[in-house]
Every structure is written in C-alpha cells, then in structure tokens.
Amino acid sequence: MAALTPGSTGLRRALVPLGYPCPVPSDLLLEVQGLSKAYDGVHALEGVGLQIRPGEVHGLVGENGAGKSTLIKILAGNVVPDSGSVGMAGAGLNLGSVQASLDAGISVIYQELVAFLDLDAVENVFVGREIRRFGIILDRARMRERTSQVFQRLGVGVPLNVPLCDLSVAQRQLVAIARALETECRLLVMDEPTASLSNREVEVLLATVERLKTEGVSVLYVSHRLDEIVRICDSVTVLRDGRVVETMPASSVTRERLIVSMVGRQIAAQSQSAANAPGTVVLEVRGLGRDGAFEDVSFSVRAGEIVGLGGLVGAGRTEVARAIFGLDRIDSGQVLVGGRDVTNRGVLAAVASGVALVPEDRQHEGLVLPLSVKDNLLMAARERLARRGWIQRRAERTKGDELSTRLMVKAASLDVPVRSLSGGNQQKVVIGKWLAMAPRALIMDEPTRGVDVGAKEEVHSLVTRLAAEGAAVLLVSSDLPELLELSDRILVMCEGRVSGELARGEASEEALMALAVHREERAVS
Amino acid sequence: MKKLPARELGVGLVLFVLVLAVQLANPAFLRPENVRDLLIQCAPFAIMACGMTFVIILGEIDISVGSMAGLLAAALGTWASPSHGGRPLLDCVFGVLFLGLALGLVNGLLVVFARVPSIVATLGMLTVLRGVTELVLHGEWVTDLPPFIRQLGIGVSGGVPNPVLVALLVVAVSITLASLTPWGRRVYAIGSNPEAAKVRGLPVKQVKLAAFALMGLLTGVAVLVSAPQLSVVESGYGTGWELFVVTCVVVGGVSITGGRGSLWGVLLGVALLSIIRTALIFLRLGDQASYWERAIQGVLILTAVLGDRVSARRRAEVGA
C-alpha cells in the first residue's frame, strides 16, 4: 500500500480493501488499527491505533497539525484513509462513507458547528432522517416529542421552535449533541466542544458528557483545554506529528505530563546569533481589541527585531495580524507605525506607512496564481517603477531579476505562471513582492506552512537577513522549533489575549505550550 | 409562522398602502372585474415564483425561465394549431409539461454535474432557448390556436378563471412541499449551510436537480394557462419574465444567498409587483407606464437585496 504514489487516491480507493472485518475484543467499542493518511506526500497520520471501551470518555490531545482533525474526519467518513482499519462494536467499519459511520453509531460534533442556522432545533436534529407519515409528509409532532425527550434526558432546556441563529452557541452545541443521541450514537466525537463557550456553559457541557457516560455512550473528547481533559477523561491519547505518542489512564495524567508528551522533543532553546542591537520602535500596538476575536493586545517591535507570536490555532494571532495590516476593523486600541497612528485606516495606509503582510493562505491571499512570477513580484512596486503612469518594462525586468536572484526563486523563467512553482518558491515570491517596496515592518503569518525542508531553511535565512537589514518582523507561527529559532522574544496568545512573553533565553516548547493552553480559574489536581 | 415574519409584514404593509393610494386616485381600480383581471394576470407568475422560490432558497438561481416560457409557448402553438401540428389537447398539455421538465433538468444537470454556476448556466440557456424559439417559429406568428387550447387560458371552472384555479392548486402544493415534506426542509437546510449539508450526508445533488426540474415543470404549467389567453403566439413571448419572477421572489423576502424565505412572502411579492404594473396603467401614465415599471422593479430588487444583506450582517454579528 505504501508503495503507491501519493495523489492516486482514486486508484488506491479501488485497490485497497478498506474496512475489511477485523476482530474486536468484546470489551472494546472502537478499535482503530494502523491508520495512515498522507496529503501531497506529507503524513497527517501514520500507523495510528486507538481503543475505546463502552462508556469511556477518551481524551485526544496534540499540538496543531498533530493529526487530530484527520483522525476525526476518517471516523466520520468524510476522509478516506490510505491504509488501516476501524472496528466498531466487533464489526469492521466501511471507511469513507458518512452513512456507514452513522449507521455504526459514530456521531461527530465538529469544532465549527455544522448546524443549519435557519432551521429550528427539531429540524436540525432530524433533517436527513425525518420521521414521515404516509411516506412523504413530515410527522412534526413526533419529531418534536422525541427531541424534547432527548433534551430531558440531558437535563437541559432548549427552545424547540426558534431558528438556531437566535440561540446561543452553547444551545446550538446541545442541539448537535441531541442530534447525535437521537441517531442512537454509541460513540460521540467532540472536537473542541468548549472553544467558544463561557465558563458556566462549559459546566453544563461537561455535566452532559458525564451523563452520557452513565448511559453507556463513549465519548472521544478532543480539546486543547488540558484541565477539562484531566477532569473528565478516563484515559488520554496523545498524538504528535501524526503518530500516537502514548495512551495513558486518567489516574496518571497531569497537565504538565500532557504538555511534555505533546511537545516531545527536549530541545533546549538554542540561542544562536545574539539579538541585534535593537533599534527604534517601528511597530507598536496598544490595547488592541476586536470583538469576538481578541482583546487588550499590546506589544512593540523594534527595527531589526524578530518578535514571535505563538499560540494555538484559533487563539487570535492571525486576526491580530490582519487587524494591524488594516484588513479587519479594530474595535479598541491603537496601531502605531513609526509613531504614526494608522488604526483603522485601511490596507493602503498600512502599506504606505511601510507595513507588509505575508498572509497565512498564500495561494488565495498572497498571490495571483495565473499571473507570471514577475507580475507577482512587482505587484506592490509597480507604481514606484512606473513613469508618468506608464509601465517601464525594462526597469521591471531588471527589478524582477534582482529580486528573484536575491530570493533564490527556482523557476524556469520569470514569465511562467506562479501557479507552476512549488510551495516554497511561491512563498518566496510572496515575500519578494514586499521586498520590492522595502518594508519597515514585516508581518509573516505561518510563512513556512506546507513548505519543504530545504525551502524552509531559505525562508528562515531570508527572515533573519531582513531583520538584520533593519526591518521589524512579527512572526506568527504554529511551528514551535521555527518560532524558537527565529524569534528574539515570543509573545504567546491564548483565547484572544496575550497570556505571556518569553525572552529568547527562557523560551522552550514546554513553556510556550503551558502559556498557549487554556487554564481554568480553579486549580484542578 | 415560527418567527415574527417582519419581512412579510413589511411587504404586506406596502401592498396595502399602494392599493389604498391607487384606489383613491382611481376608484375604478378595485372593481370586481378589474380584480379578476389582476388575478388572471398574476396567476402564471405566481406559479413560476413557486418554483423559483425553491431554486433561490437552495442558493441557486434560474434566469432562463423567460426564454423557456417562450419556447414552450411556441411548442404549444405549433403542436396545437391546425395549420401546423393539429394535435389533440392531451398531447399538447403533456408535451409542454414534459418539455418544461426536460429543460429544467438540463439546467439542473449543468449546475449539479457540470458544476457551472447557475447564473451562468441559465444565462446561457436564456439565449439558447430564445434562439431555438425563433428557429421553430421562423419569425412567424401562430394565429390559429384552436378553441380547446384557448379555453385553458380564458375558460372558467366553477366560477373561477382557469389560470387562477391552477395557480391556487400549485401554490397549495408548493406550500405543502416546503413546510410539510422532508424534501422541502432539506431545500432550506442545503441553502442555509451547504457545507453542513454535505458533512451530514444530505443528497444535495438530487435535491438541486429536482428543484431545477420543478422550475421547468412549473414554467410549463404557467405557459399552459397564460399563452392561450392571447390569440397569437410569437417568438418574443415571455421576454423579461425571468427578471419579473426573480424580483417577486426576492421582494417577497427570500434571501438571494439562500436558506431563508417563505412562499407566503413570495405571494405578497407577486401581488405587489403585479399591482404596481396595473396601477401604473390606472394612473394614466400612458406610454411612460412601462418605463416606470422597469425603474420601479429595479429599485425594488435593489432595496430587497440591500435589506437582505443588512439583516445577514446583523445575524452574522449576533451569531459570532
């Protein structure tokens, strides 16, 4: 199976007998064996095994990109694995079919709630498997009754006749759980169920999970909130880089132990070249807030300094970057560039004051894929090179050559569409686009995501060189080693707030993760 | 009604004020025979608006219906007229319905399987079908519609004009379909959140295909009761209907991005736009009436869509 080249999903699908029956010991509800899945040759999962007993709450933790979502999608039938098998209650699960997973009793509640906001609770619970009279007419009364029975079972009250858009996020979550229970689910997979809930709502949800457990429903509880994991799970599996690091019983689990296990590598923070003598403050952010995204974010970046912005996906890092660049409205606070206030002045003002953003999604936000490498490189500098509004082709070519040499862009020529380049080289073009205008402050959001190792090194040295040349760099990255290696200091965000700052000497993956994961007010021991 | 139907109330209010104003300006307006004419006039649009409602709630659109109506009318004319086909009633009726269904299916296939955005696919069909209509009629008029065909449009059954009777039937079936059947609720679900519909394993393709087919079928029904109202069939029949029908639906409160709206609102929309059309005549504007009609239609559709965007933004902020 492994010999097949990546990308031939269709072929693989046809050849490999997925979901062949595998014997499951009778005391297990779910048994996952040897599950592997690669995207474009990069392993998201590699030989993952997982066992869940009936009535067990099983925690699943891991860093960003550890493979949690891929595992969930495979269980739900939305993604077909390259190899491996899943056994459910003694029978092999037919992988890659949403219906088969539902029939086997697996229900998934996704992080981004996939609810129908224009429909009410009853309809959300039953759409797709409606109860009918005479074959075609909906039996609303019975559906309503059964929905309210489920809510009673859960011990919660949710309005049944109101469209979901008028309910709170927590209530929508309860509707999703009700739907799962109504499908006679035996394994409920919850992906970051408490991410957008208030403390009180979290209590209701955790109580609901406890109740499910007493009814014999198993729960796979995926969360970054380690305190919750420690509190409600019977056992915990830690994923790292697509592999299972360990599965441990709850009795031996502590928050600290989990962090060490998630991070794994015991790399001491290597202080390479001593920080450049910091220059004047170029970029300053004071008490920045955007409703529902982040609040009270303050920091400053000096010329020649690389400041890392760490945290988990969803902590609000990208949102801060976008707000500074003028893409999103700022509700409170100020953004100063070189002492000038550019708060809410828009992208053009940000660019004019010397701010550049290398966005998270380079293909959609950073490049115009069908245009040539040269056109993309010169996009931000075109007006500067133009004379009386006319494009100067010779000057553009010289500038384009200069940039691509400096960036070591590997392309057949400057005229090929940027789409034909590899991910790493595309990223160099995105950076080069801004070099043409000599930015004073460079914001980079996940600059090496999906970039191969060699190109990654080149991007790293480029960032260091730009800082050495006097640019203020704000580096958003989920890649911890990268963050530790490049940053002079690291700000860590958690749930929309800056939860701490680490100087180069004191930064380590453990320290970073400890700041990044949610900590409950009450100490749990 | 589960929620306070603010949109329906708004449209209803505008409708009421309008009727009152026109009545004051010209007391002939609400005379029974005029009301009857009005109902007959808006019947085909009510029928088509029902189909369009499902398509738009799904987040799609069908702007080919004007030309589709033209081709179906031409087909009806040539099949029925003694100088062309001279076929019997049932052949003509089922022929038109079947052809409408088939054309709707073609739209659906283009959107669902060829993945052409519906506005582009049906824009193409708008042009193609008009061309085919002109080919079929060779630029001539069909002038000899037999009486049994004309009866469909001008006849009366049990005191109710046939077009109105058929429209009532279609509306009743559509409302049942929308609120009492799984298919109808799935239409809302898919339009509300297409991604979630896929994740939940709803049969998105089948539902969309069926909605486009239904739109075609109902266009056929509309043509059967409207074309025979006139004594001739010409190749320009139905021109501009697509805009009128889409306007009715959107003004009636159906979100152009899908997911929300009710047939009750759409019916009010049909009434409002039909009355505006007639009112302009009653206000004795003469030739200017049709210019005004287009301008007002345009303003209405913009207002409706703007209102929709504003409320969507508010919802997004509340939901976040």
Side-chain angles (χ1 to χ4, degrees):
Chain A
M1 289 176 234
L4 276 166
T5 51
S8 61
T9 328
L11 184 63
R12 196 184 295 120
R13 210 173 187 165
L15 290 178
V16 180
L18 288 170
Y20 52 85
C22 63
V24 178
S26 56
D27 58 333
L28 285 180
L29 175 67
L30 178 86
E31 178 154 48
V32 173
Q33 286 177 339
L35 218 52
S36 293
K37 173 73 190 176
Y39 292 102
D40 296 328
V42 181
H43 281 285
L45 286 183
E46 226 177 331
V48 166
L50 185 69
Q51 298 185 335
I52 303 181
R53 294 185 311 274
E56 175 188 347
V57 179
H58 195 104
L60 182 65
V61 297
E63 288 181 74
N64 300 331
K68 291 170 296 179
S69 5
T70 308
L71 178 56
I72 295 172
K73 285 180 189 156
I74 291 172
L75 290 179
N78 290 118
V79 164
V80 190
D82 301 338
S83 61
S85 68
V86 175
M88 185 69 187
L93 180 68
N94 182 13
L95 296 172
S97 150
V98 177
Q99 201 52 50
S101 291
L102 282 176
D103 292 344
I106 301 176
S107 279
V108 179
I109 300 175
Y110 285 97
Q111 189 175 356
E112 309 84 32
L113 284 174
V114 285
F116 302 107
L117 295 184
D118 298 303
L119 304 187
D120 65 26
V122 178
E123 289 169 341
N124 264 283
V125 168
F126 280 98
V127 72
R129 13 169 246 98
E130 303 85 355
I131 303 177
R132 304 152 189 230
R133 265 180 305 186
F134 320 118
I136 54 158
I137 300 294
L138 290 173
D139 191 343
R140 223 189 120 78
R142 265 189 64 206
M143 294 193 285
R144 201 187 135 89
E145 192 190 309
R146 290 207 0 208
T147 308
S148 72
Q149 275 169 6
V150 176
F151 283 132
Q152 267 166 30
R153 221 171 108 192
L154 290 173
V156 293
V158 173
L160 296 182
N161 284 337
V162 177
L164 248 60
C165 58
D166 293 341
L167 298 184
S168 72
V169 176
Q171 285 174 321
R172 292 178 200 171
Q173 199 119 38
L174 290 171
V175 172
I177 295 174
R179 176 181 170 88
L181 294 181
E182 181 47 52
T183 55
E184 318 260 287
C185 114
R186 285 186 285 176
L187 173 66
L188 183 61
V189 183
M190 303 175 93
D191 186 9
E192 296 290 343
T194 52
S196 41
L197 301 188
S198 70
N199 282 342
R200 203 170 46 82
E201 290 168 338
V202 168
E203 290 306 318
V204 175
L205 186 104
L206 294 183
T208 309
V209 172
E210 295 284 349
R211 201 179 271 242
L212 291 178
K213 190 171 149 177
T214 62
E215 292 193 7
V217 177
S218 305
V219 176
L220 181 60
Y221 195 88
V222 185
S223 182
H224 280 315
R225 298 192 173 185
L226 302 184
D227 301 303
E228 287 168 17
I229 298 273
V230 172
R231 187 171 147 201
I232 65 161
C233 292
D234 301 312
S235 49
V236 185
T237 293
V238 182
L239 278 182
R240 186 172 70 225
D241 300 332
R243 292 167 177 278
V244 172
V245 182
E246 55 183 332
T247 296
M248 40 195 162
S251 51
S252 70
V253 168
T254 63
R255 185 187 151 84
E256 288 66 33
R257 165 103 198 268
L258 281 177
I259 290 176
V260 172
S261 182
M262 281 159 73
V263 172
R265 301 150 295 217
Q266 295 279 353
I267 313 168
Q270 64 279 64
S271 57
Q272 28 150 241
S273 60
N276 310 307
T280 53
V281 171
V282 175
L283 176 68
E284 187 174 5
V285 164
R286 290 186 195 150
L288 211 60
R290 174 174 161 75
D291 295 347
F294 55 85
E295 56 187 325
D296 198 21
V297 174
S298 302
F299 60 86
S300 62
V301 189
R302 293 169 177 275
E305 193 182 27
I306 302 176
V307 173
L309 195 53
L312 300 164
V313 167
R317 299 167 304 163
T318 296
E319 289 77 2
V320 168
R322 288 176 56 93
I324 294 175
F325 193 57
L327 279 167
D328 293 330
R329 186 172 41 87
I330 294 167
D331 292 320
S332 60
Q334 279 180 307
V335 178
L336 304 172
V337 180
R340 260 185 60 213
D341 190 339
V342 294
T343 315
N344 278 335
R345 295 275 297 281
V347 175
L348 287 180
V351 172
S353 63
V355 182
L357 171 72
V358 175
E360 190 176 15
D361 180 351
R362 68 174 160 265
Q363 299 218 331
H364 289 109
E365 297 173 352
L367 294 168
V368 185
L369 290 175
L371 288 188
S372 71
V373 174
K374 189 188 77 178
D375 286 336
N376 272 286
L377 275 173
L378 296 175
M379 200 173 294
R382 207 146 237 172
E383 286 178 27
R384 211 163 297 195
L385 291 173
R387 213 179 291 157
R388 289 193 213 99
W390 295 94
I391 285 174
Q392 301 298 311
R393 301 191 61 170
R394 190 164 304 166
E396 287 202 345
R397 180 144 302 268
T398 318
K399 188 75 183 169
D401 280 335
E402 179 203 318
L403 283 170
S404 76
T405 317
R406 191 167 156 209
L407 293 160
M408 297 171 284
V409 174
K410 291 180 192 69
S413 99
L414 286 187
D415 298 317
V416 298
V418 79
R419 177 188 288 139
S420 66
L421 268 52
S422 72
N425 283 299
Q426 287 183 0
Q427 190 65 302
K428 290 183 206 163
V429 174
V430 179
I431 299 172
K433 180 176 82 177
W434 293 118
L435 291 193
M437 64 159 245
R440 299 164 71 192
L442 182 61
I443 306 170
M444 309 184 98
D445 196 355
E446 306 287 356
T448 58
R449 174 180 293 171
V451 163
D452 62 90
V453 182
K456 195 166 166 176
E457 282 307 312
E458 290 173 12
V459 170
H460 284 176
S461 66
L462 195 62
V463 173
T464 331
R465 212 163 62 216
L466 283 169
E469 287 168 15
V473 180
L474 180 64
L475 174 71
V476 178
S477 180
S478 297
D479 184 335
L480 296 186
E482 168 176 292
L483 209 54
L484 293 171
E485 186 190 327
L486 294 177
S487 312
D488 294 317
R489 57 200 170 87
I490 301 172
L491 296 161
V492 186
M493 286 189 73
C494 173
E495 301 184 354
R497 292 172 163 276
V498 175
S499 53
E501 179 174 337
L502 300 166
R504 186 183 279 278
E506 60 188 3
S508 67
E509 298 200 15
E510 288 81 1
L512 225 155
M513 282 307 285
L515 286 171
V517 293
H518 175 83
R519 181 181 282 279
E520 266 182 297
E521 257 61 54
R522 281 175 294 109
V524 179
S525 54
Chain B
M1 294 287 99
K2 292 161 203 155
K3 214 171 123 189
L4 185 75
R7 187 56 174 275
E8 283 84 343
L9 280 178
V11 179
L13 199 70
V14 173
L15 187 63
F16 180 74
V17 172
L18 182 74
V19 170
L20 207 68
V22 179
Q23 174 68 15
L24 288 177
N26 187 339
F29 182 62
L30 282 184
R31 281 220 298 267
E33 55 285 16
N34 189 41
V35 171
R36 190 187 129 107
D37 283 353
L38 198 66
L39 286 174
I40 293 176
Q41 252 178 45
C42 67
F45 298 111
I47 294 169
M48 284 159 76
C50 286
M52 192 66 84
T53 302
F54 290 112
V55 173
I56 294 185
I57 285 178
L58 273 172
E60 304 288 347
I61 196 166
D62 186 346
I63 54 169
S64 71
V65 293
S67 295
M68 201 189 285
L71 181 58
L72 294 175
L76 178 67
T78 45
W79 285 335
S81 101
S83 63
H84 293 76
R87 293 179 163 275
L89 179 68
L90 282 185
D91 280 20
C92 296
V93 169
F94 284 106
V96 167
L97 293 180
F98 184 77
L99 186 57
L101 188 75
L103 292 174
L105 263 177
V106 171
N107 279 334
L109 289 171
L110 283 172
V111 173
V112 171
F113 290 104
R115 305 212 179 156
V116 185
S118 57
I119 188 147
V120 179
T122 56
L123 181 65
M125 286 290 275
L126 182 75
T127 317
V128 170
L129 296 181
R130 186 60 68 192
V132 173
T133 308
E134 274 153 14
L135 284 176
V136 168
L137 290 178
H138 315 288
E140 289 165 17
W141 293 17
V142 177
T143 52
D144 51 348
L145 286 180
F148 62 83
I149 289 291
R150 301 252 10 230
Q151 207 54 30
L152 290 171
I154 56 179
V156 174
S157 311
V160 186
N162 285 339
V164 179
L165 196 68
V166 173
L168 286 176
L169 198 71
V170 168
V171 167
V173 170
S174 298
I175 287 178
T176 311
L177 210 53
S179 51
L180 294 180
T181 68
W183 186 80
R185 299 326 290 168
R186 289 171 180 189
V187 166
Y188 279 87
I190 292 167
S192 177
N193 190 345
E195 206 46 48
K198 226 177 291 166
V199 171
R200 288 229 183 139
L202 293 185
V204 177
K205 289 180 174 180
Q206 287 93 317
V207 171
K208 285 195 172 173
L209 207 55
F212 277 102
L214 180 68
M215 179 76 253
L217 179 71
L218 290 180
T219 306
V221 175
V223 164
L224 284 176
V225 297
S226 68
Q229 289 178 23
L230 307 172
S231 55
V232 295
V233 174
E234 41 92 21
S235 63
Y237 193 80
T239 305
W241 282 15
E242 62 285 336
L243 185 64
F244 190 83
V245 173
V246 170
T247 310
C248 292
V249 172
V250 174
V251 167
V254 174
S255 168
I256 196 76
T257 48
R260 270 172 307 139
S262 75
L263 281 159
W264 298 106
V266 170
L267 287 182
L268 289 172
V270 173
L272 183 66
L273 276 137
S274 307
I275 288 179
I276 287 174
R277 184 178 263 188
T278 329
L280 289 170
I281 297 165
F282 271 79
L283 293 177
R284 304 192 184 92
L285 291 171
D287 279 349
Q288 288 199 332
S290 68
Y291 308 146
W292 275 105
E293 188 198 331
R294 260 181 264 170
I296 292 174
Q297 246 183 58
V299 169
L300 275 178
I301 202 166
L302 285 176
T303 316
V305 172
L306 271 175
D308 184 46
R309 292 329 299 155
V310 170
S311 78
R313 209 171 309 142
R314 223 177 25 231
R315 274 157 39 96
E317 274 164 20
V318 170

